[in-house]
Amino acid sequence: MVTKQEIKLIKSLNQKKYRQQLGLFTVEGIKGIEEFLKSDFKLHRLYTTKQIFDDSKGDVVDISENELKKITALKNPNTALAIFEIPKSDKVDDDNLIVALDDVRDPGNLGTIIRLCDWYGVKDLVCSQNTVDCYNSKVVQATMGSLTRVNISYLNLSEFISRYNGDVFGTYMNGENIYNADLPNKGVIVLGNEANGISEKISSIIDRKITIPQFGKSKDTESLNVANATAIVLSEFRRRTIEM
Amino acid sequence: MVTKQEIKLIKSLNQKKYRQQLGLFTVEGIKGIEEFLKSDFKLHRLYTTKQIFDDSKGDVVDISENELKKITALKNPNTALAIFEIPKSDKVDDDNLIVALDDVRDPGNLGTIIRLCDWYGVKDLVCSQNTVDCYNSKVVQATMGSLTRVNISYLNLSEFISRYNGDVFGTYMNGENIYNADLPNKGVIVLGNEANGISEKISSIIDRKITIPQFGKSKDTESLNVANATAIVLSEFRRRTIEM
């Protein structure tokens, strides 16, 4: 059973303000919840219409389909909704490749970028304070569990970069051709906002501007979406580490 | 002014069946419409709340904000809605790189893939009959005008591949490492359905299975989304054509 108070709490977690106040966020669907249960994330409470979860992990509450409809943020809820605690971020490891986001706003883009970090073995994702919250339910949904394997820190990005001891790369329309560029196996790669790219403030402290060249001939072609740019840039950095 | 009959027609174009029967599709928003007006696409009729369009291109009708709300498929319509004719596909050019989709179902993925083809100079995109319709309004919206620069053909994919005279590549979890693979500057690259990958029927006629290797160590990591896989694969094929 789910009480009115609980419904109110769960609904409030759709807002960043309350997630931060309470230190909690929601995960929906069997597969996603199982990924978080396997991880170091701490379960606060799990609501489920089917008794298929290991209740040694914490508070598991049986609910009806109707009750699930009252707490879900999805059009088609899938069996269960869990509340987990937002963990403290680990210290960023300067000795590996780090992805940095300068005000990425779209939840789908952030979710995809987290998945790409997981795929390409990037352990640290650092985000400017205005980047969309990674505990936003749309982001959590889009990460397909990768959120449990990437350490995400929200911080003052220009301070972080200024203090960072190593190469800082940024993606631009008119930089060095990434395919010919000499790329190290560590460093910070900055990706910018969907509409405005990397801000002037951050641009002024970037060491190397890199570009994914356009092969099509039209001047009207839109620049690549930030998630696709991340895919291509990480692919380029990582392939250089393979012995040919 | 927009008549009841016209509203009915425009609404019907949200369904593939009527788009195909009538040979028409809709484009919304100033920027998207301008891209299509510049292209070879034939304007059927344009409805606009502002007189900012060149009416030498065809029938331009002034409407009110209220009328726009009645015909839009968007939550926040932007100034204008245009109806264009669906063109006949051009003949596929076997002498260039061709991207082939085997039942890609998500409009956002197809839209992103069309943008990537435009960026990487892929002129031909061939789609299995069950791939989502590229004149679906969500796809049109997601392509940001690239739809006017990529020739898209819906066809029997296994027949097309069987007749194709050249290398046919497919992306798999357990193929040749793409970063070390010898990749030609022409050929067909097949990408599969979001949930099931490339079908057995198509797999049986693929010459070379290629893989984007995972660098992260977790066995739980989900495979890359089809749009990101397309980004990385096109990046790899095209970079081989650059003189280093």
Coordinates of all heavy atoms in Angstrom, one line a residue, chain A residues 160-220:
Chain A
F160 N 37.1 24.4 -12.0 CA 37.7 23.0 -12.2 C 38.7 23.0 -13.3 O 39.8 22.4 -13.1 CB 36.5 22.0 -12.5 CG 37.0 20.6 -12.9 CD1 37.4 19.7 -11.9 CD2 37.2 20.3 -14.2 CE1 37.8 18.5 -12.2 CE2 37.6 19.0 -14.6 CZ 38.0 18.1 -13.6
I161 N 38.4 23.6 -14.4 CA 39.3 23.6 -15.5 C 40.6 24.4 -15.2 O 41.7 24.0 -15.6 CB 38.6 24.1 -16.8 CG1 37.6 23.1 -17.3 CG2 39.6 24.4 -17.9 CD1 36.7 23.6 -18.4
S162 N 40.4 25.5 -14.6 CA 41.6 26.3 -14.2 C 42.5 25.6 -13.3 O 43.8 25.7 -13.5 CB 41.1 27.6 -13.5 OG 40.3 28.3 -14.4
R163 N 42.0 24.8 -12.4 CA 42.9 24.0 -11.5 C 43.4 22.8 -12.1 O 44.4 22.2 -11.6 CB 42.1 23.6 -10.3 CG 42.1 24.7 -9.2 CD 41.8 24.0 -7.8 NE 40.5 23.5 -7.8 CZ 39.4 24.1 -7.2 NH1 39.6 25.3 -6.7 NH2 38.2 23.5 -7.2
Y164 N 42.8 22.3 -13.2 CA 43.2 21.0 -13.8 C 44.6 21.0 -14.4 O 44.9 22.0 -15.1 CB 42.2 20.6 -14.9 CG 42.5 19.3 -15.6 CD1 42.3 18.0 -14.9 CD2 43.1 19.3 -16.8 CE1 42.7 16.9 -15.6 CE2 43.5 18.1 -17.5 CZ 43.2 16.9 -16.8 OH 43.6 15.7 -17.5
N165 N 45.4 20.0 -14.1 CA 46.8 20.0 -14.5 C 46.9 19.1 -15.7 O 47.3 17.9 -15.5 CB 47.6 19.6 -13.3 CG 49.1 19.7 -13.7 OD1 49.5 20.3 -14.7 ND2 49.9 19.1 -12.8
G166 N 46.6 19.6 -16.9 CA 46.7 18.7 -18.1 C 46.0 19.4 -19.3 O 45.6 20.5 -19.2
D167 N 45.9 18.7 -20.4 CA 45.3 19.2 -21.6 C 43.8 19.3 -21.5 O 43.2 18.4 -21.1 CB 45.7 18.4 -22.8 CG 47.1 18.6 -23.3 OD1 47.6 19.7 -23.0 OD2 47.7 17.7 -23.9
V168 N 43.3 20.5 -21.9 CA 41.8 20.7 -21.9 C 41.4 20.9 -23.4 O 41.8 21.8 -24.0 CB 41.4 21.9 -21.1 CG1 39.9 22.0 -21.1 CG2 41.8 21.7 -19.6
F169 N 40.5 20.0 -23.9 CA 40.1 20.0 -25.2 C 38.6 20.5 -25.3 O 37.9 20.3 -24.4 CB 40.1 18.6 -25.8 CG 41.4 18.0 -25.9 CD1 42.0 17.4 -24.8 CD2 42.1 18.0 -27.1 CE1 43.3 16.8 -24.9 CE2 43.4 17.5 -27.2 CZ 44.0 16.9 -26.1
G170 N 38.3 21.2 -26.4 CA 36.9 21.7 -26.6 C 36.5 21.4 -28.0 O 37.4 21.5 -28.9
T171 N 35.3 21.1 -28.3 CA 34.8 20.9 -29.6 C 34.2 22.2 -30.2 O 33.4 22.8 -29.6 CB 33.7 19.8 -29.7 OG1 32.7 20.1 -28.7 CG2 34.3 18.4 -29.4
Y172 N 34.7 22.5 -31.4 CA 34.3 23.8 -32.1 C 34.1 23.5 -33.6 O 34.5 22.4 -34.1 CB 35.4 24.8 -31.9 CG 35.6 25.3 -30.5 CD1 36.4 24.6 -29.6 CD2 34.9 26.4 -30.1 CE1 36.5 25.1 -28.3 CE2 35.0 26.9 -28.8 CZ 35.8 26.2 -27.9 OH 35.9 26.6 -26.6
M173 N 33.6 24.5 -34.3 CA 33.4 24.4 -35.7 C 34.7 24.6 -36.5 O 34.8 24.3 -37.7 CB 32.3 25.4 -36.2 CG 30.9 25.1 -35.6 SD 30.3 23.5 -36.0 CE 29.9 23.7 -37.8
N174 N 35.6 25.3 -35.9 CA 36.8 25.8 -36.7 C 38.1 25.5 -35.9 O 39.0 26.3 -35.9 CB 36.7 27.3 -36.9 CG 36.5 28.1 -35.6 OD1 36.4 27.4 -34.6 ND2 36.5 29.4 -35.7
G175 N 38.2 24.3 -35.4 CA 39.5 23.9 -34.7 C 40.3 23.0 -35.5 O 40.1 22.8 -36.7
E176 N 41.2 22.3 -34.8 CA 42.1 21.3 -35.4 C 41.3 20.1 -35.8 O 40.4 19.7 -35.1 CB 43.1 20.9 -34.3 CG 44.3 20.1 -34.6 CD 45.1 19.8 -33.3 OE1 44.7 20.4 -32.2 OE2 46.0 19.0 -33.4
N177 N 41.5 19.5 -37.0 CA 40.8 18.3 -37.5 C 41.1 17.2 -36.5 O 42.2 16.7 -36.4 CB 41.3 18.0 -38.9 CG 40.6 16.8 -39.5 OD1 40.2 15.9 -38.8 ND2 40.5 16.8 -40.8
I178 N 40.0 16.7 -35.9 CA 40.2 15.6 -34.9 C 40.9 14.4 -35.4 O 41.6 13.7 -34.7 CB 38.9 15.3 -34.1 CG1 39.1 14.4 -32.9 CG2 37.9 14.6 -35.1 CD1 37.9 14.2 -32.0
Y179 N 40.6 14.1 -36.7 CA 41.1 12.8 -37.3 C 42.7 12.8 -37.4 O 43.3 11.8 -37.4 CB 40.5 12.5 -38.6 CG 39.0 12.3 -38.5 CD1 38.1 13.1 -39.2 CD2 38.5 11.3 -37.6 CE1 36.7 12.9 -39.0 CE2 37.1 11.1 -37.5 CZ 36.2 11.9 -38.2 OH 34.9 11.8 -38.1
N180 N 43.3 14.0 -37.5 CA 44.7 14.1 -37.7 C 45.4 14.5 -36.3 O 46.6 14.5 -36.2 CB 45.1 15.2 -38.7 CG 44.6 14.9 -40.0 OD1 44.5 13.7 -40.4 ND2 44.2 15.9 -40.8
A181 N 44.6 14.9 -35.4 CA 45.1 15.5 -34.1 C 45.8 14.5 -33.3 O 45.5 13.3 -33.3 CB 44.0 16.2 -33.4
D182 N 46.8 14.9 -32.6 CA 47.5 14.0 -31.6 C 46.7 14.1 -30.3 O 46.5 15.2 -29.7 CB 48.9 14.7 -31.4 CG 49.8 13.7 -30.7 OD1 49.6 12.5 -30.7 OD2 50.8 14.2 -30.0
L183 N 46.2 13.0 -29.9 CA 45.3 13.0 -28.8 C 45.8 12.1 -27.6 O 46.2 10.9 -27.9 CB 43.9 12.4 -29.2 CG 43.2 13.2 -30.3 CD1 41.9 12.5 -30.7 CD2 42.9 14.6 -30.0
P184 N 46.0 12.6 -26.4 CA 46.5 11.8 -25.3 C 45.5 10.9 -24.7 O 44.3 11.0 -25.0 CB 46.9 12.9 -24.3 CG 45.9 14.0 -24.6 CD 45.5 13.9 -26.0
N185 N 45.9 10.0 -23.8 CA 45.0 9.1 -23.2 C 44.4 9.7 -21.9 O 43.7 9.0 -21.1 CB 45.5 7.7 -23.0 CG 46.8 7.7 -22.2 OD1 47.1 8.7 -21.6 ND2 47.5 6.6 -22.2
K186 N 44.8 10.9 -21.5 CA 44.1 11.6 -20.5 C 43.9 13.1 -20.8 O 44.5 13.5 -21.8 CB 44.9 11.4 -19.1 CG 46.2 12.0 -19.1 CD 46.9 11.8 -17.7 CE 47.9 12.9 -17.4 NZ 48.4 12.7 -16.1
G187 N 43.1 13.7 -20.1 CA 42.7 15.1 -20.4 C 41.3 15.3 -20.2 O 40.5 14.4 -19.8
V188 N 40.9 16.6 -20.3 CA 39.4 17.0 -20.2 C 38.9 17.3 -21.6 O 39.5 18.0 -22.3 CB 39.3 18.2 -19.3 CG1 37.8 18.6 -19.2 CG2 39.8 17.9 -17.8
I189 N 37.7 16.7 -21.9 CA 37.1 17.1 -23.2 C 35.8 17.8 -22.8 O 34.9 17.3 -22.2 CB 36.7 15.8 -23.9 CG1 37.9 14.9 -24.1 CG2 36.0 16.1 -25.3 CD1 37.5 13.4 -24.6
V190 N 35.7 19.1 -23.3 CA 34.5 19.9 -23.0 C 33.6 19.9 -24.1 O 34.0 20.1 -25.3 CB 34.9 21.4 -22.7 CG1 33.7 22.2 -22.3 CG2 36.0 21.5 -21.6
L191 N 32.3 19.7 -23.8 CA 31.2 19.8 -24.8 C 30.2 20.8 -24.4 O 30.0 21.0 -23.2 CB 30.5 18.4 -25.0 CG 31.5 17.4 -25.6 CD1 31.6 16.1 -24.9 CD2 31.2 17.2 -27.1
G192 N 29.7 21.6 -25.3 CA 28.9 22.8 -24.9 C 27.4 22.6 -25.0 O 26.9 21.5 -25.4
N193 N 26.7 23.7 -24.7 CA 25.3 23.8 -24.8 C 24.7 23.5 -26.2 O 25.4 23.9 -27.2 CB 24.9 25.2 -24.3 CG 23.4 25.5 -24.5 OD1 23.0 26.0 -25.5 ND2 22.6 25.1 -23.5
E194 N 23.5 22.9 -26.2 CA 22.9 22.5 -27.5 C 22.8 23.7 -28.5 O 23.0 23.6 -29.7 CB 21.5 22.0 -27.3 CG 21.5 20.6 -26.7 CD 21.6 20.5 -25.2 OE1 21.8 21.6 -24.6 OE2 21.4 19.5 -24.6
A195 N 22.4 24.9 -28.0 CA 22.2 26.0 -28.9 C 23.4 26.9 -29.0 O 23.7 27.4 -30.1 CB 21.0 26.9 -28.4
N196 N 24.2 27.1 -28.0 CA 25.2 28.1 -27.9 C 26.6 27.5 -27.9 O 27.6 28.3 -27.9 CB 25.0 29.0 -26.7 CG 23.6 29.6 -26.7 OD1 23.1 30.0 -27.7 ND2 23.0 29.6 -25.6
G197 N 26.8 26.2 -27.8 CA 28.1 25.7 -27.8 C 28.8 26.0 -26.5 O 28.1 26.2 -25.4
I198 N 30.1 26.0 -26.5 CA 30.9 26.3 -25.2 C 30.9 27.8 -25.0 O 31.1 28.6 -25.9 CB 32.3 25.8 -25.4 CG1 32.3 24.2 -25.7 CG2 33.2 26.1 -24.2 CD1 33.7 23.6 -26.0
S199 N 30.7 28.2 -23.7 CA 30.5 29.6 -23.3 C 31.9 30.3 -23.5 O 33.0 29.7 -23.5 CB 30.1 29.7 -21.9 OG 31.0 29.1 -21.0
E200 N 31.8 31.6 -23.6 CA 33.1 32.4 -23.8 C 34.0 32.2 -22.6 O 35.2 32.1 -22.8 CB 32.7 33.9 -23.9 CG 32.4 34.3 -25.3 CD 32.2 35.8 -25.4 OE1 32.9 36.6 -24.8 OE2 31.2 36.1 -26.1
K201 N 33.5 32.2 -21.4 CA 34.3 32.1 -20.2 C 35.1 30.8 -20.2 O 36.3 30.8 -19.9 CB 33.3 32.1 -19.0 CG 34.1 32.1 -17.7 CD 33.1 32.4 -16.5 CE 33.9 32.4 -15.2 NZ 32.9 32.5 -14.1
I202 N 34.4 29.7 -20.6 CA 35.1 28.4 -20.6 C 36.1 28.3 -21.8 O 37.2 27.9 -21.8 CB 34.1 27.2 -20.7 CG1 33.2 27.2 -19.5 CG2 34.8 25.9 -20.9 CD1 33.8 26.9 -18.2
S203 N 35.6 28.9 -23.0 CA 36.5 28.9 -24.2 C 37.8 29.5 -23.9 O 38.9 29.1 -24.4 CB 35.8 29.7 -25.3 OG 34.8 28.9 -25.9
S204 N 37.8 30.6 -23.1 CA 39.1 31.3 -22.8 C 40.1 30.5 -22.1 O 41.3 30.9 -22.0 CB 38.8 32.6 -22.1 OG 38.4 32.3 -20.8
I205 N 39.7 29.4 -21.5 CA 40.7 28.6 -20.7 C 40.9 27.2 -21.3 O 41.3 26.2 -20.7 CB 40.3 28.4 -19.2 CG1 38.8 28.1 -19.1 CG2 40.7 29.7 -18.5 CD1 38.4 27.9 -17.6
I206 N 40.4 27.0 -22.6 CA 40.6 25.8 -23.3 C 41.9 25.8 -24.0 O 42.3 26.7 -24.7 CB 39.4 25.5 -24.2 CG1 38.3 24.8 -23.3 CG2 39.8 24.6 -25.4 CD1 37.0 24.5 -24.0
D207 N 42.7 24.6 -23.9 CA 44.0 24.6 -24.5 C 44.0 24.3 -26.0 O 44.7 24.8 -26.8 CB 44.9 23.5 -23.9 CG 45.0 23.7 -22.4 OD1 45.3 24.9 -22.0 OD2 44.8 22.8 -21.6
R208 N 43.1 23.3 -26.4 CA 43.1 22.8 -27.8 C 41.7 22.7 -28.3 O 40.8 22.0 -27.8 CB 43.8 21.5 -27.9 CG 45.3 21.7 -27.7 CD 46.0 20.3 -27.8 NE 45.8 19.7 -29.0 CZ 46.2 18.4 -29.3 NH1 46.7 17.7 -28.3 NH2 45.9 17.9 -30.4
K209 N 41.4 23.5 -29.4 CA 40.1 23.4 -30.1 C 40.1 22.4 -31.1 O 41.0 22.4 -32.0 CB 39.8 24.8 -30.7 CG 39.7 25.9 -29.7 CD 39.2 27.2 -30.3 CE 39.0 28.2 -29.2 NZ 38.3 29.4 -29.7
I210 N 39.2 21.4 -31.0 CA 39.2 20.4 -32.0 C 37.8 20.4 -32.8 O 36.8 20.9 -32.3 CB 39.4 19.0 -31.4 CG1 38.5 18.8 -30.2 CG2 40.9 18.8 -31.0 CD1 38.6 17.4 -29.6
T211 N 37.9 19.8 -34.0 CA 36.7 19.9 -34.9 C 36.5 18.5 -35.5 O 37.4 17.9 -35.9 CB 36.9 20.9 -36.0 OG1 36.9 22.2 -35.3 CG2 35.8 20.9 -37.0
I212 N 35.2 18.1 -35.6 CA 34.8 17.0 -36.4 C 34.5 17.5 -37.8 O 33.5 18.2 -38.0 CB 33.6 16.3 -35.8 CG1 33.9 15.8 -34.4 CG2 33.2 15.1 -36.7 CD1 32.6 15.4 -33.6
P213 N 35.3 17.3 -38.8 CA 35.1 17.9 -40.1 C 33.8 17.4 -40.8 O 33.5 16.2 -40.6 CB 36.3 17.5 -40.9 CG 36.9 16.3 -40.3 CD 36.5 16.4 -38.8
Q214 N 33.2 18.3 -41.5 CA 32.0 17.9 -42.3 C 32.5 17.4 -43.6 O 33.3 17.9 -44.3 CB 31.2 19.2 -42.5 CG 29.9 18.9 -43.3 CD 29.1 20.2 -43.6 OE1 29.4 21.2 -42.9 NE2 28.2 20.2 -44.5
F215 N 31.9 16.2 -44.0 CA 32.3 15.6 -45.3 C 31.2 16.0 -46.4 O 31.6 16.0 -47.6 CB 32.4 14.1 -45.2 CG 33.7 13.7 -44.5 CD1 33.7 13.8 -43.1 CD2 34.8 13.2 -45.1 CE1 34.9 13.5 -42.4 CE2 35.9 12.9 -44.5 CZ 36.0 13.0 -43.1
G216 N 30.0 16.2 -46.0 CA 29.0 16.6 -47.0 C 29.3 18.1 -47.4 O 29.9 18.8 -46.7
K217 N 28.8 18.5 -48.6 CA 29.2 19.8 -49.2 C 28.3 20.9 -48.9 O 28.6 22.1 -49.2 CB 29.3 19.6 -50.7 CG 30.3 18.6 -51.2 CD 31.7 18.9 -50.8 CE 32.7 17.8 -51.2 NZ 33.8 17.7 -50.3
S218 N 27.1 20.7 -48.3 CA 26.2 21.8 -48.1 C 26.5 22.7 -46.9 O 26.9 22.3 -45.9 CB 24.8 21.2 -47.8 OG 23.9 22.3 -47.4
K219 N 26.4 24.0 -47.2 CA 26.6 25.0 -46.1 C 25.4 25.1 -45.2 O 25.5 25.7 -44.1 CB 26.8 26.4 -46.8 CG 28.2 26.5 -47.3 CD 28.5 27.8 -48.0 CE 29.9 27.9 -48.6 NZ 30.0 28.9 -49.6
D220 N 24.3 24.5 -45.5 CA 23.1 24.5 -44.7 C 23.1 23.5 -43.6 O 22.2 23.5 -42.7 CB 21.8 24.4 -45.6 CG 21.7 25.6 -46.5 OD1 22.0 26.7 -46.1 OD2 21.3 25.4 -47.7

